[in-house]
Amino acid sequence: MPTKAQVLAFIATQNGEVGKREIARAFGLSAAQKVELKQLLRDLSEEGTVSRERRRLHVPGALPAVVLADIVSRDGNGELVAVPVEWDSEAQGEAPHILVQVPRRASGPAPGLSDRVLLRIVEGSIEHAVPHVGRVIKVLEKARKQTMGIFRAAPQGGGGRIIPIDKKQLGRELQVPPGAEHEAEDGDLVTVELMRQRVFGLPTARVKEKLGSLKSEKAVSLIAIHAHGIPNAFPDVVLKEAEAAKQITVRGREDWRDLPLVTIDPPDAKDHDDAVHAAADEDGGFIVTVAIADVSAYVRPGTALDREALIRGNSVYFPDRVVPMLPERISNDLCSLRPDEDRPALAVRLVIGADGRKRSHSFHRILMRSAGKLAYAQAQNAIEGRTDDITDPLVEGVLKPLYAAYACVKKARDARQPLDLDLPERKIILKPDGTVDRVVVPERLDAHRLIEEFMILANVAAAETLEEKKTPLIYRVHDGPTLAKLSALRDFLKTLDIGLPKTDQVRPSHFNRILEEVKDTDAAPLVNQVILRSQSQAEYASENYGHFGLNLRRYAHFTSPIRRYADLIVHRGLVRALGVGKDGLPDDATVESLGEVAAAISVTERRAMAAERETVDRLIAHHLADQIGATFNGRITGATKAGLFVALDITGADGFIPASTLGQDYYRYDEVRQALVGDRTGEMHRIGDRVEVKLVEAAPVAGALRFELLSEGSYVKGPRGGGPQRRGAPSGFAGRPGKSLPGRAKPGKSGSGKSGSGKANPGKAKPGGGRR
């Protein structure tokens, strides 16, 4: 009879595709032992160690079937050990170690330390007595991490200094001796390599490559593009292929050009990849049509366009520019559903009952002609009686049925209870010179919710159809919170006298009840933040384990193929499954091969998110650099041993307060309360607290801000320590009161303020079709 640990290890390697029968077969259990196994599984379920979905067993937070990993060390036997590249340590805990196994008949170079590899998680954990074993699918060349910075020329001429762009390198400037500038000029973004170091003075380096000037337009996003290795120039062969593409005609398609489909997008969108229509039916329900740009008709498998799209994985959106997944000839022209122009599309017709639930659906390969291009606010104004020349003829026949259909499907959405966090998104408005004009929180309208819900319905329908046709696909999956995160969340909520049920079947509704309980109270921002941090990150996978946040059993991204490669794969799968063209998913595409694609595009998505976030930080830091000494109101968004993270109210700017600068006490990190608490006084600063801060320093190049706390904290009952503490930081304490943030020099103009190619804010205006 296997132990609990052995059974748990086996389930973890099966990626949600295992039940009691498979476990009994794997361990060769007798009939009597199967009874014992049933009790063992019940115990694991009650402990919350294993979750059960339709008689399938799954370990929350388990590794996917295919993992992109970096080889970081060797174990005691000399075997290679790797860690996942895309592991979210904050949400999932410490990254798991994977024993690397090389197949005997492997072709290509053998993996070694610092290599990046694609691994298939196998069942070897039972025999090897290690948590995870990964068999090498492919060895990928690991990009050497470049040292990047801004070159500042010496005033006297010859040589200069490098200001690092990485927050972790602040204060570690490099000196460039005369003759090592490589033609770099003051304000240039450069890569450098270290030279032989002297005993005294700053480390020295020589410039390797000049990447661009911060005095040029779009300079701030240029830093993130190069720092994260985002491809931003299309190869000539890709551009030639795009230019050679010809307009798709109605031949071989259903002609839907008379159906008044409309697009509803942000006002500055350049690519329009989804259009909608709704009509009431006889049974009190609606027929909702969602038409999506047919990118698969232009981007065929194995072509240069396809290879480049896979490398990019997705479009990347900055406040001052867009780095598109596809050339503008495809994304902004041939595939964009522009009004009054014939465009190919893949459409899904959804039959919605009077209760808001989907009764049936069907997919169609069509030629359409959009009846109107609307912005969210424009559509909302029209439905509220404020029409314009474009919306006036569309109100009765198009917009009112759409809003009525949304009111219907909203009933089913509310019954489903997806996770409903209240986290306002801020948007940066730029001046013509690319600097920050202001930061706004766009109003959340029913127009946004309407598109979001229709896109979710279409995505679910795509996953259901491909499963029914037994066609491999890439799912959008979101695991439930890990056991460690749930335990920490329960402990924290207890400090607010809020309970979270002790069950292995935690659902979004459990969190929603808590959010409703604190709604409109001072604790609401705090609880929203803490619940958000308890969640896992969504990702792509060729195996399905559901979408926790949306509370859906199956979900696939289908609605944005212009800007996401995952959607293009789903489109090809539908073309193949429905037999509506020869440009569908190739016959040799399998769950295994799509698992490799899913792992790769999950990494490019993380890369895009990091680059977008860092660019916003740099723009805001530059915007505030002239306001040193000014005071601001904000809220604590994070607490660590090193100090507090604070987000300002108006701009949303994030900054840091070192723990060593807090009052006349020694502050320790209280993990349960998620706060810093004074030993002697019991003064507490916790996540969600309102604070007043003074801006002490700003480093625009790195996007770093340092604040000083002006307001007092709350107080816990009784002091934390046994008397006054000596001021200062003991061993292991990260606060450094004298640390400065270098690099206050302004980066200059950073862009035109135009949105470029694509939507201004992917996955935010349309969360259903975005990053969920």
Side-chain angles (χ1 to χ4, degrees), residues 583-599:
D583 46 2
L585 196 65
D587 292 337
D588 60 356
T590 63
V591 172
E592 290 74 20
S593 63
L594 291 187
E596 298 177 22
V597 173

Side-chain angles (χ1 to χ4, degrees), residues 678-761:
D679 269 359
R680 177 174 53 82
T681 62
E683 184 184 25
M684 178 171 65
H685 304 283
R686 73 188 302 175
I687 293 178
D689 284 356
R690 303 281 309 161
V691 291
E692 183 182 9
V693 297
K694 180 170 72 175
L695 179 61
V696 178
E697 291 187 89
V701 168
L705 300 171
R706 185 162 72 87
F707 297 130
E708 178 184 318
L709 185 64
L710 300 179
S711 53
E712 290 188 4
S714 56
Y715 288 86
V716 297
K717 294 179 180 179
R720 280 288 306 271
Q725 299 291 322
R726 184 164 62 97
R727 180 86 170 142
S731 175
F733 189 73
R736 299 176 67 183
K739 188 155 181 76
S740 296
L741 301 182
R744 288 194 195 170
K746 300 178 186 176
K749 294 180 180 180
S750 61
S752 64
K754 297 179 181 178
S755 65
S757 166
K759 292 181 173 60
N761 210 357

Side-chain angles (χ1 to χ4, degrees), residues 647-669:
L648 304 185
D649 288 344
I650 298 176
T651 62
D654 291 307
F656 185 65
I657 303 173
S660 56
T661 66
L662 295 174
Q664 297 298 316
D665 202 344
Y666 176 67
Y667 288 81
R668 297 184 189 273
Y669 176 56

Side-chain angles (χ1 to χ4, degrees), residues 203 352 355 399 415 472 557 635 710:
I352 308 298
D355 61 355
L399 291 178
H557 275 170
R635 192 179 295 275
L710 300 179

Side-chain angles (χ1 to χ4, degrees), residues 242 245-248 253 263 270-275 291-299 305 325-339 341-346 368 370 559-563 568 571 759:
K246 296 182 179 180
Q247 179 75 48
I248 299 295
R253 294 173 177 270
T263 60
K270 297 293 189 297
D271 59 344
H272 307 280
D273 48 15
D274 56 81
I292 306 298
D294 191 356
V295 177
S296 63
Y298 292 103
V299 182
L305 272 169
M325 184 180 79
L326 298 168
E328 290 190 11
R329 166 68 173 159
I330 302 293
S331 61
N332 287 9
D333 183 8
L334 293 177
C335 285
S336 186
L337 306 181
R338 300 192 296 211
E341 295 186 27
D342 292 354
R343 288 292 182 265
L346 201 57
M368 61 162 283
S370 170
T559 54
S560 295
I562 289 176
R563 59 188 175 94
L568 177 56
H571 275 239
K759 292 181 173 60

Side-chain angles (χ1 to χ4, degrees), residues 52 59-60 69 76 168 187 214 248 255 270 352 367 374 397 445 472 475 492 516-517 551 637 716 728 730 755:
R52 190 186 298 267
V59 178
K168 297 178 182 178
L214 286 188
I248 299 295
D255 190 345
K270 297 293 189 297
I352 308 298
L367 191 73
L374 308 179
L445 306 170
Y475 292 92
F492 169 77
E516 185 62 30
E517 184 180 340
N551 199 14
T637 58
V716 297
S755 65

